[in-house]
Amino acid sequence: MKVHSALFCVLTCCVPVYAAGQRTAAKIAEAFSNIAVDPHQTYRVRDLQIVRGDIKIYLTDGVLAFATPVAGRAVAAVFTTALSETGDAEVLLLPPQRSERASLASFTGSPNLDEHFSSALFIFSDATARELESELQQTAIQPAPGMFPQLTGPVDPVLRSICTQIDVPLVESLLDNHPLDQGFFYAVIGGRHLGSFDVTYQPDDFEPVSIGRVSPDGKRFQLWSSFRPRLAPPFIAPPAEISNYRIEATILPDLSLSATANFSVEARPGDGRVLSFNLSDHLQVQSASINGEPVEVYQRASPRLAELKSSGTFLMVSPTALQPGARYQIQVRYRGSVIRQTQTGYFVDDRTTWYPFRGPMLTTFDLTFHCPEQLHLVSTGEPVSENVAEGIRTVHRKTQVPEALAGFNLGDYRISGFDQGRYHVDFYAEESAARVLDPALQKETAEVLNQYTHLWSALPIHCLSVSPIDGYFGQGFPGLIYLSNISYIRPADRPAALRNDRLNVFFSDLLLPHEIAHQWWGNIVRQADYRTGWLTEAMADDSALQFLAHIKGTTAVDTVLDSYRHELLESVNGKRLESAGPVDFGQRLIDTAGLPVWHVITYEKGAWVLRMLRERLGDDAFDKLQLRMLQDFAARPISNEDFRRLASSFVPPGQPDKSLELFFDTWIYSTGIPKLTLRRKGRDFNLDVSGVDDDFSVDVPLHCRSASGKDQIHWVRAVSGSNFVRPPYGGACRLPAPDEFLYTS
Ligand SMILES: [Zn+2]
């Protein structure tokens, strides 16, 4: 008995949150809204330091005050130099990658951060409080409550406001069971030169270190730099934990959505009492249960700009701790507005966030929709049934294999279906547009499906639905394609502004093959992280270009690639568009002031990268590489480095850069399109590389002809500036053809 009671005591002392039992998310959130600086924990400090990953913070001289504990834990502190004449503090950060240093420099003017600051606010769920307290004890610093009155006035409202902005991860951190070394550290720093900015360390994130701030217009978060610390082990993505997803959704006449999601989830060791999920901010969770028992729900009130990267948008709080590894049956009831009417039909806004999700997903979906009878609805999954009763249409679909995503679309559709080999294809066209529906579309769909299936593999789905979206883009969900409503119309019937050679090729020849290709690239082979997002897009683009070559010949492809080159070289705000960031920055490039930078770099430079890889490997080896990707990465997502390793096994003998490390460094992890000039110097040549950074380096395939007239590729590793070239056999050399290599001359 003694042993037991002693154990009980240890548990209650060390884990007060769980022992309290009745602690709720609402109570914790309320405590955060009243958080304040604590007069008894205010110190005059010297030479304290906080090191997180590659972030180093030195509190050289100033006043440090902890905030009142929340749920028994110290979670915040403020620092200021204002009360000390010799006050100083400093934050240091040097990103490990060149591209991250360049990104930081583009926002701050310097590739490394070395900023003195006069104030800082720290919020944490890690060992920060313990570390600082131990540093204070070692230096025998006594509390200085006299400093407190000068601090408290302006500080408390700021502290409360920032805590409210990151309420979901904060509340989660006090209900979960994370080890202290996996907690987060978040600092809002008032820099002397840079003004206010955020520094975040989140050890369990794909990129634990990030730095940035809300843009001056208050609309976006500018991510200055994001990376894994130099000493961090490789990131291992959590496995998919959700399975057997069932959604029953009702779309009401006012287009609002009311849904119940049922699924099973495996609890992680760190979950403790809380499960966090993401959901569109346009949807409100009404109630939720775990294994049939209603549980507390805590959802953020509105979307935030500055927040911790991998945090969810709502929490489900269990009265007791969840057992790691055990499966729980979850039900979430939610409603809101994610559909709107447009001039030509209906638009689903939150196409990927209309149901709760967490982490990477790979689950079967069983979807039932109820909508007004006059509407038609289509979704991911093979059709199970569809019927109309009392003015309500009910559509039931089910996926036969696990999928990462599920989408739906709806409209006043006319449907035409046809069988193509092992597939059934349904075309959904808005009734109003059906009269001008381009009959070439069905033929193109059939041909594309045929070509891709023959080239790669049969899809694990049988039914493919193509449905319109009111916009100049498409999107490829498992079994469901959103295709721009412009592509539905014959070129001659399109609005005049959209009728030129370039846009005709885009809407008529490229968009549909691109979206169909996503059934393989995106739905079978999935990206491991945001840095690999370009790969599935570029694969879809490359596939569409291959199809274009098939129907219109290689000259049509060369014209498209040339237009991509021109767009990459365009000047935006006095800088070349391509220099905004490497392809692996992915969606981070969307932030660039509404310009099409992200799109051009991801899709167009991405297509060029694969074009150059195709040139290196040869068409046959490139096809084999794609087959291997489909085999090896159907069950787990692919990263850039996975792709590099696999592609390197297809590099033909005799080529440089067998590992493709330089190729990836030059084209995927860095920026730069070189200007190449080749000049003869006696029997040798000079290859001049300009228009790129000093540290740019690239393998250039020169076409050389020997004295006996034999053509061969002569690879030259060229750096920025002048490069000496001695051609084999003293023959003549020329630069690669403009459709083979991304350069200017
Ligand atoms: Zn795409």
Side-chain angles (χ1 to χ4, degrees), residues 474-476 511 514-515 518 521 536-538 540-541 603:
Q475 207 169 359
L511 193 55
H514 175 109
E515 301 310 337
H518 275 315
W521 312 109
T536 48
E537 291 307 339
D541 259 2
Y603 292 76

Side-chain angles (χ1 to χ4, degrees), residues 397-627:
R397 284 178 175 251
K398 243 167 131 168
T399 65
Q400 254 137 50
V401 289
E403 303 283 7
L405 275 178
F408 75 92
N409 203 356
L410 77 169
D412 181 10
Y413 293 143
R414 187 186 294 177
I415 306 159
S416 52
F418 64 94
D419 290 317
Q420 172 61 38
R422 60 195 307 279
Y423 309 114
H424 178 80
V425 181
D426 279 321
F427 250 92
Y428 293 74
E430 281 295 341
E431 190 66 44
S432 57
R435 273 173 282 116
V436 286
L437 181 64
D438 186 349
L441 265 186
Q442 294 199 354
K443 189 166 158 277
E444 189 180 341
T445 307
E447 266 185 73
V448 172
L449 267 179
N450 233 355
Q451 181 176 321
Y452 292 170
T453 301
H454 181 73
L455 189 59
W456 303 320
S457 58
L459 287 173
I461 56 169
H462 297 287
C463 184
L464 184 71
S465 305
V466 182
S467 65
I469 189 156
D470 191 358
Y472 301 161
F473 66 98
Q475 207 169 359
F477 280 70
L480 171 66
I481 286 169
Y482 298 91
L483 183 67
S484 166
N485 54 1
I486 304 299
S487 293
Y488 270 74
I489 316 170
R490 278 185 298 254
D493 299 327
R494 290 176 193 159
L498 300 176
R499 270 185 268 147
N500 61 46
D501 289 348
R502 167 113 214 270
L503 291 176
N504 283 352
V505 170
F506 175 76
F507 285 116
S508 295
D509 301 329
L510 292 177
L511 193 55
L512 181 62
H514 175 109
E515 301 310 337
I516 295 176
H518 275 315
Q519 295 301 319
W520 286 266
W521 312 109
N523 293 335
I524 297 178
V525 175
R526 300 172 315 280
Q527 67 196 62
D529 45 65
Y530 79 88
R531 289 200 183 257
T532 320
W534 74 276
L535 179 59
T536 48
E537 291 307 339
M539 277 289 181
D541 259 2
D542 180 78
S543 311
L545 290 175
Q546 293 298 111
F547 184 75
L548 183 66
H550 170 71
I551 54 167
K552 295 225 165 131
T554 52
T555 318
V557 176
D558 296 350
T559 307
V560 173
L561 285 171
D562 204 44
S563 70
Y564 287 178
R565 183 199 320 263
H566 279 288
E567 294 200 356
L568 286 161
L569 294 171
E570 256 171 39
S571 177
V572 173
N573 299 333
K575 285 170 76 184
R576 191 183 270 182
L577 184 150
E578 189 269 345
S579 72
V583 289
D584 80 328
F585 273 28
Q587 303 214 338
R588 282 166 65 177
L589 298 167
I590 287 178
D591 283 352
T592 317
L595 296 160
V597 173
W598 161 74
H599 188 269
V600 173
I601 290 174
T602 303
Y603 292 76
E604 305 189 354
K605 188 174 173 191
W608 258 113
V609 170
L610 292 189
R611 171 70 170 202
M612 290 189 284
L613 188 62
R614 203 177 251 288
E615 286 290 326
R616 287 194 66 140
L617 308 185
D619 281 325
D620 281 354
F622 194 87
D623 292 348
K624 289 197 179 91
L625 165 64
Q626 290 187 315
L627 280 179

Side-chain angles (χ1 to χ4, degrees), residues 101-132:
R101 293 193 291 274
S103 173
L104 185 59
S106 74
F107 290 104
T108 66
S110 170
N112 59 318
L113 182 76
D114 181 353
E115 177 78 355
H116 289 265
F117 60 87
S118 47
S119 67
L121 195 152
F122 308 118
I123 300 175
F124 39 82
S125 67
D126 64 1
T128 299
R130 188 193 286 174
E131 280 176 31
L132 288 174

Side-chain angles (χ1 to χ4, degrees), residues 44 246 256 288 318 331-332 395 399 494 513 521 530 540 543 553 603 611 686 691 703:
R44 183 77 203 272
R246 273 188 299 126
S256 66
S318 161
Q331 184 178 83
V332 184
V395 177
T399 65
R494 290 176 193 159
W521 312 109
Y530 79 88
S543 311
Y603 292 76
R611 171 70 170 202
N686 182 62
H703 291 242

Side-chain angles (χ1 to χ4, degrees), residues 646-663:
L646 187 58
S648 73
S649 66
F650 292 92
V651 174
Q655 279 192 15
D657 191 24
K658 179 85 181 113
S659 68
L660 293 175
E661 275 172 24
L662 180 66
F663 182 89

